[in-house]
Amino acid sequence: MLTAPVRLRRAQHEQFTAGGMDKVRRVLVYVCKDRAAPQRAQFLQSVISHFSDCGGDEVEVSCSLDKNQFILYRGDKGRGTPLKRPAFCPIKHLSATEAAAIPLDVQQRGIDVGVAIVLQTANQRVLLTRRAKELRIFPNVWVPPGGHLEPDETLLDAGLRELKEETGLKLEPEEVSPQILGLWESVYPPMLSRGRPQRHHIVIYMLLHSSLSHLQLQACLSPSAAEVSACVWADARLVRAIVSAVDGEDGGLRLDDLPSSVSVSEVSSGGALTDSTLPLTVFVSRVPVSGSDVERVSTGTKFALELWLKSLETLTPDL
């Protein structure tokens, strides 16, 4: 049986998916260039293309949250935050004909803001969760805990709330030393071969440091079965393998003699955790070019995990 908070969140989700989004207050992306006033980013607008002068897929930006507007503007070179999209981003490749065929209510939606938490343990592992297969967006895909930024929240407040709602882990703001790793321009479906864009987000990947080990945090896990179907504490070796499976490319994998299976915790329909294993191949799968999606780590998550590895190497060069 669904709890009242879960029923409420599902009801709100249905409002979003049924075209009633303007009835719900949302935090949206605004862009600012050349000191002009911030303008609301359009659903069919690629945020990266707005800032990129050469058509690349990554730029450096600065960001601020002001009066429920998430504002992006060009950052000083070498001092900004990386903002990236995949080379196959649907918005980037959308033709005028394809854009015109997108329903007007979707075109007018704007670009939503999400916060995802890269939770690093004292023994340098990070928590990934598998999205429930019943979810409409990216079902059965591995991501960090996270979700929409709600009105009047700070980025950290949103991340901690989503972490607690999805995993049961309650962390206090003063305990976690937050750091923005990077921003990801996310579109669903992730490729035009799977259909026209339905959702467009800027996802803020925020690194939080816990003073507890993954075993101590594991004892506190109580995932929401409506949102999470499995959890894994990934160490640096597994993360290196994950990020070596670059989506949209055919390069080799960096497996570093990893075992052929990975220990995970499966979440039952009632929320109970059971020890299990999954093939390593699940975590190094790439997004399919066509056909149905597969269980895999999301492309944006790979981007964030690569930035996490770089942060580790800065602290411990021998890793």
Side-chain angles (χ1 to χ4, degrees):
M1 178 179 295
L2 294 179
T3 64
V6 171
R7 286 197 301 270
L8 175 60
R9 294 190 74 201
R10 283 212 167 167
Q12 290 172 332
H13 178 72
E14 293 303 322
Q15 277 187 292
F16 283 114
T17 56
M21 297 185 67
D22 289 336
K23 299 176 183 178
V24 181
R25 290 178 64 215
R26 295 181 297 139
V27 180
L28 296 175
V29 174
Y30 284 68
V31 291
C32 179
K33 194 173 182 181
D34 300 327
R35 299 185 180 180
Q39 301 292 320
R40 191 176 112 165
Q42 301 302 306
F43 181 85
L44 295 177
Q45 172 186 9
S46 170
V47 175
I48 286 183
S49 294
H50 178 81
F51 292 106
S52 176
D53 297 323
C54 58
D57 294 316
E58 184 171 355
V59 294
E60 283 190 359
V61 297
S62 295
C63 60
S64 63
L65 183 61
D66 182 41
K67 297 177 182 177
N68 291 320
Q69 297 178 1
F70 185 66
I71 303 170
L72 295 174
Y73 51 97
R74 191 184 295 277
D76 295 332
K77 191 170 183 179
R79 299 178 60 185
T81 299
L83 166 63
K84 192 173 182 179
R85 68 185 174 193
F88 48 82
C89 174
I91 297 293
K92 174 185 176 182
H93 297 287
L94 203 62
S95 69
T97 302
E98 289 166 329
I102 293 176
L104 188 59
D105 63 322
V106 176
Q107 293 188 38
Q108 296 174 341
R109 180 173 312 221
I111 301 176
D112 290 289
V113 182
V115 180
I117 294 301
V118 180
L119 178 60
Q120 177 182 319
T121 66
N123 57 332
Q124 297 183 336
R125 297 193 181 212
V126 290
L127 176 63
L128 299 179
T129 60
R130 186 177 63 198
R131 289 172 58 81
K133 63 182 180 181
E134 296 82 10
L135 295 175
R136 296 190 182 193
I137 300 174
F138 294 110
N140 218 39
V141 170
W142 288 87
V143 297
H148 281 95
L149 174 65
E150 295 184 355
D152 304 320
E153 284 186 314
T154 67
L155 299 180
L156 180 57
D157 288 343
L160 292 177
R161 172 183 52 76
E162 288 287 349
L163 180 68
K164 185 175 186 302
E165 289 175 353
E166 293 187 7
T167 71
L169 294 176
K170 187 177 188 307
L171 303 181
E172 298 300 330
E174 61 273 12
E175 298 175 346
V176 291
S177 304
Q179 173 192 345
I180 293 178
L181 286 173
L183 311 177
W184 180 255
E185 186 165 11
S186 172
V187 179
Y188 184 83
M191 290 185 170
L192 282 176
S193 59
R194 299 227 186 90
R196 303 185 191 108
Q198 301 170 21
R199 294 289 184 273
H200 191 175
H201 290 77
I202 293 296
V203 180
I204 300 135
Y205 285 98
M206 181 174 287
L207 174 63
L208 302 184
H209 295 268
S210 172
S211 61
L212 302 178
S213 71
H214 76 284
L215 293 177
Q216 290 172 306
L217 289 168
Q218 175 73 16
C220 302
L221 276 180
S222 179
S224 165
E227 300 184 75
V228 174
S229 62
C231 305
V232 66
W233 295 98
D235 62 13
R237 289 179 67 212
L238 176 56
V239 169
R240 287 192 194 96
I242 290 171
V243 302
S244 73
V246 180
D247 289 323
E249 299 182 11
D250 297 322
L253 300 174
R254 180 176 175 179
L255 300 183
D256 290 341
D257 297 322
L258 284 167
S260 60
S261 61
V262 176
S263 297
V264 304
S265 296
E266 295 278 354
V267 182
S268 73
S269 58
L273 293 172
T274 56
D275 293 338
S276 185
T277 59
L278 285 175
L280 176 62
T281 52
V282 166
F283 294 93
V284 294
S285 293
R286 294 178 167 96
V287 59
V289 175
S290 60
S292 300
D293 207 346
V294 298
E295 183 178 352
R296 60 184 175 84
V297 178
S298 81
T299 312
T301 300
K302 293 177 183 178
F303 160 71
L305 291 177
E306 187 169 14
L307 293 173
W308 174 70
L309 283 176
K310 289 178 181 177
S311 74
L312 276 189
E313 290 163 359
T314 300
L315 296 174
T316 50
D318 293 335
L319 269 177

